Amino acid sequence: MTSPIPAIEVRHLTKRFGNFTALDDISFDLWPGETVGLLGPNGAGKTTTIQLLLNVMTPTSGSIRIFGLDLQRHRKTVLKHVNFSSTYISMPFSLTVEENLRVIAKLYGLSDVSRKIDDVIKKLEMADIRHKLTRKLSSGQMTRLTLAKAVMTDPKILLLDEPTASLDPDIAHKIKAFLKEYRNTAGLSMLYTSHNMREMEEMSDRIIFLQRGRIVAQGTVEEIVRQYGQRDLEAVFLKLAREQD
Amino acid sequence: MSLARINALLVRHLYLYRRSVPRFLEIFYWPLLDLVVWGFITLYLAQQGQALHGVVTFFLGALILWDVLFRAQQGITISFLEEIWARNLMNLFASPLTAGEFLTATMALSVLKVSMVSLVMVIAAFVFYSYNVFLLGLSLIPFVLNLIATGWIIGILTTSIIMRFGQQAEVLAWGMVFLFQPISCVFYPLAVLPPWLQPLAWANPAAHVFEGMRAILLEGQVPFLHLGWATGLNAFYLLLMILLFHYTFAVCKDRGLLVRVGE
């Protein structure tokens, strides 16, 4: 938060699909080393925001700058420093865990690939599944693989779309512990979505609350809870989500 | 254009084929089956009519060359479908990989596939029917390269349609190329087509290749006119299809279809 240049600088970002507005003129910053939780009910625009930040979707209007560089114009340079993990994506089923990591390493132009793979496999305790076919992984193992592919590239920005959804509490706890430790050691910026309010409180320095494609609140958990006069983030979520209904 | 990223995609597909017996067999099964059936038909025709001079060369040569085009098309389209089936497009296009690099990698893959299939078919034709495709001479090489380019053109067209319309268009991966077969004049001269269809055939680079192949067999001379037309048309269509692919890619990114194409 001391750097004069935000890791992510979003200005007046709008995404429309025909008559439907998925994101409506949102602006926010994500500072180096900061974790921001993107919160909102289904259809609020969280995943759309992440897809726009990954440049797999183009905005209708507005701008995205990553470390000061315009994402559209400097896509290749910028995306080397950004990675993501999501419960909703997969990796080629017919490749082993190691083969998938090797392909990703080549895609991002990493050097010393074998050492990087060894490191990430050790960090995420994946030695037992290293040579396992991806199609045979459990959902917890799959989450670890998508996380491994994301952190292996040494990103400066990590976008996490419900990284612990559908995981049992034990594995979810391990994933969160890994992310917290990794964030502190690597000093990366994270944008995090989840429907688990406790997780959001635990992981996020700041919350951005989206509703119907607009930012309706942003600040620390305490600020948002105070602003809405509720007892915790979950109560704020319920209040805002029900207003939408 | 990064060779390392193109290589990454090649490695990804080589891992896939190395392990998948059905995929590996698929490359050889249909071409060999085609060769067996058409081989017997041509042998039968050769026995029946003395007038059909060089019928084996005509049919088996045409069959092998058609397969070059078909496999070149499949190399591109199936590679794209593999990414859809694996729900891997987001991983790829959220990386520094560009659409152009993706396309180049699928083209390289198609050349690999064509090489493997052609090798098997050439050997099988020689073993089973004592047919040597190289009787067509060195002039065969530029014609084969033209067929690969035509395969790419149809492959990129098909891939663009699948990318835009999703899995409902998947069937085109196997069917689209056969739409071009009647006007490619693979097994018959262009002159047998009805007059209204002939201009369409002349606009098809593959028809020039097969007309050229027949001219080599009948006259023993390289038909440079056909070669020139095939090359010129291929260059024009290839440029057009590359533009179409990039346009479709941009449309899909705008409509959010790129990450939903497999859903």
Side-chain angles (χ1 to χ4, degrees):
Chain A
M1 272 178 258
T2 54
S3 167
I5 302 173
I8 297 177
E9 184 185 328
V10 170
R11 291 291 176 271
H12 306 293
L13 193 64
T14 297
K15 183 65 194 172
R16 289 195 195 94
F17 300 103
N19 294 327
F20 175 71
T21 302
L23 279 181
D24 190 2
D25 194 25
I26 67 165
S27 297
F28 67 89
D29 293 328
L30 172 70
W31 293 93
E34 187 186 29
T35 299
V36 167
L38 209 51
L39 198 59
N42 291 332
K46 304 183 297 291
T47 300
T48 301
T49 304
I50 285 185
Q51 290 175 352
L52 288 166
L53 291 171
L54 288 167
N55 196 240
V56 291
M57 198 187 277
T58 39
T60 306
S61 62
S63 70
I64 298 168
R65 299 179 83 82
I66 309 279
F67 290 107
L69 295 174
D70 183 80
L71 177 61
Q72 300 290 334
R73 271 188 282 170
H74 301 276
R75 181 186 170 276
K76 278 190 279 183
T77 310
V78 161
L79 288 180
K80 277 183 190 165
H81 304 295
V82 181
N83 215 316
F84 77 104
S85 176
S86 167
T87 308
Y88 306 111
I89 60 127
S90 182
M91 300 205 65
F93 298 121
S94 302
L95 272 60
T96 65
V97 165
E98 181 175 341
E99 286 167 349
N100 267 314
L101 292 176
R102 211 163 268 284
V103 171
I104 291 292
K106 285 174 184 288
L107 268 181
Y108 283 81
L110 303 185
S111 54
D112 205 357
V113 172
S114 295
R115 187 186 58 78
K116 286 232 160 75
I117 291 175
D118 288 346
D119 278 358
V120 80
I121 278 181
K122 192 176 167 192
K123 274 182 200 161
L124 280 157
E125 299 173 28
M126 295 164 71
D128 56 328
I129 57 167
R130 182 176 188 140
H131 302 293
K132 202 171 179 179
L133 281 177
T134 304
R135 80 159 62 89
K136 292 182 178 171
L137 300 182
S138 66
S139 56
Q141 290 168 334
M142 191 64 179
T143 300
R144 273 190 283 167
L145 172 59
T146 59
L147 208 52
K149 76 97 190 168
V151 298
M152 184 183 62
T153 62
D154 293 329
K156 290 178 183 165
I157 298 168
L158 193 54
L159 309 175
L160 299 161
D161 194 7
E162 300 191 37
T164 59
S166 78
L167 297 183
D168 70 49
D170 177 45
I171 295 173
H173 182 266
K174 283 182 178 166
I175 295 287
K176 282 184 289 182
F178 169 79
L179 285 170
K180 278 195 274 188
E181 192 194 329
Y182 184 74
R183 175 188 58 186
N184 294 337
T185 52
L188 84 168
S189 313
M190 292 202 293
L191 194 65
Y192 199 102
T193 80
S194 173
H195 282 125
N196 183 328
M197 297 306 121
R198 283 200 174 172
E199 187 173 303
M200 288 300 245
E201 288 175 350
E202 185 185 340
M203 297 296 294
S204 311
D205 299 316
R206 200 156 52 89
I207 299 286
I208 292 174
F209 206 107
L210 283 170
Q211 192 179 34
R212 291 186 178 134
R214 306 201 75 157
I215 294 177
V216 291
Q218 60 176 316
T220 63
V221 172
E222 294 73 25
E223 284 168 353
I224 289 181
V225 168
R226 201 166 46 241
Q227 182 185 338
Y228 284 88
Q230 301 293 318
R231 67 179 182 284
D232 56 22
L233 200 57
E234 185 162 359
V236 176
F237 182 94
L238 289 173
K239 177 181 163 58
L240 286 170
R242 283 169 188 168
E243 276 177 14
Q244 179 172 305
D245 295 338
Chain B
M1 191 75 75
S2 157
L3 284 178
R5 289 193 288 268
I6 293 167
N7 183 44
L9 281 189
L10 291 178
V11 168
R12 176 255 189 279
H13 283 273
L14 291 179
Y15 280 145
L16 183 68
Y17 276 84
R18 191 179 68 177
R19 186 163 296 112
S20 171
V21 177
R23 283 181 179 87
F24 198 72
L25 280 180
E26 198 264 340
I27 296 179
F28 303 111
Y29 178 76
W30 295 112
L32 279 176
L33 214 61
D34 270 348
L35 193 74
V36 168
V37 172
W38 281 93
F40 285 131
I41 290 172
T42 51
L43 283 180
Y44 171 71
L45 289 173
Q47 285 163 8
Q48 293 299 307
Q50 297 298 319
L52 286 165
H53 174 68
V55 72
V56 175
T57 310
F58 265 133
F59 277 90
L60 287 186
L63 181 71
I64 291 172
L65 291 180
W66 172 252
D67 228 72
V68 166
L69 187 157
F70 183 48
R71 297 294 146 186
Q73 175 263 323
Q74 291 251 300
I76 289 184
T77 315
I78 302 295
S79 303
F80 182 72
L81 281 177
E82 292 283 5
E83 304 304 357
I84 292 180
W85 295 330
R87 290 163 62 209
N88 196 35
L89 285 171
M90 186 152 166
N91 288 320
L92 295 181
F93 291 115
S95 83
L97 181 80
T98 64
E101 288 161 356
F102 178 83
L103 202 53
T104 308
T106 61
M107 286 172 167
L109 273 166
S110 90
V111 172
L112 272 177
K113 274 190 181 182
V114 165
S115 307
M116 284 197 292
V117 173
S118 301
L119 185 70
V120 169
M121 287 189 83
V122 166
I123 292 171
F126 187 75
V127 170
F128 296 134
Y129 307 110
S130 304
Y131 172 68
N132 181 3
V133 74
F134 298 107
L135 286 174
L136 290 166
L138 283 178
S139 51
L140 190 67
I141 293 167
F143 283 107
V144 166
L145 293 178
N146 267 295
L147 282 177
I148 291 174
T150 310
W152 286 349
I153 289 162
I154 301 172
I156 299 169
L157 173 66
T158 313
T159 302
S160 301
I161 295 171
I162 293 171
M163 184 160 50
R164 173 65 186 81
F165 296 102
Q167 280 185 311
Q168 57 187 338
E170 248 186 53
V171 70
L172 293 176
W174 292 271
M176 178 70 104
V177 72
F178 291 102
L179 196 65
F180 292 85
Q181 197 179 35
I183 55 164
S184 293
C185 307
V186 183
F187 302 109
Y188 43 79
L190 193 145
V192 305
L193 293 179
W196 62 269
L197 203 54
Q198 289 189 12
L200 263 182
W202 284 124
N204 176 8
H208 289 278
V209 170
F210 289 105
E211 285 291 292
M213 185 196 79
R214 280 184 286 271
I216 293 172
L217 285 173
L218 291 172
E219 298 153 22
Q221 286 180 334
V222 181
F224 286 105
L225 188 65
H226 281 304
L227 189 58
W229 270 107
T231 309
L233 287 170
N234 269 327
F236 175 68
Y237 292 140
L238 194 57
L239 181 68
L240 214 61
M241 287 305 114
I242 290 170
L243 291 175
L244 174 75
F245 181 82
H246 279 91
Y247 171 75
T248 310
F249 190 81
V251 167
C252 289
K253 267 177 82 170
D254 180 54
R255 297 188 183 189
L257 298 174
L258 198 58
V259 288
R260 295 211 310 261
V261 70
E263 292 172 3

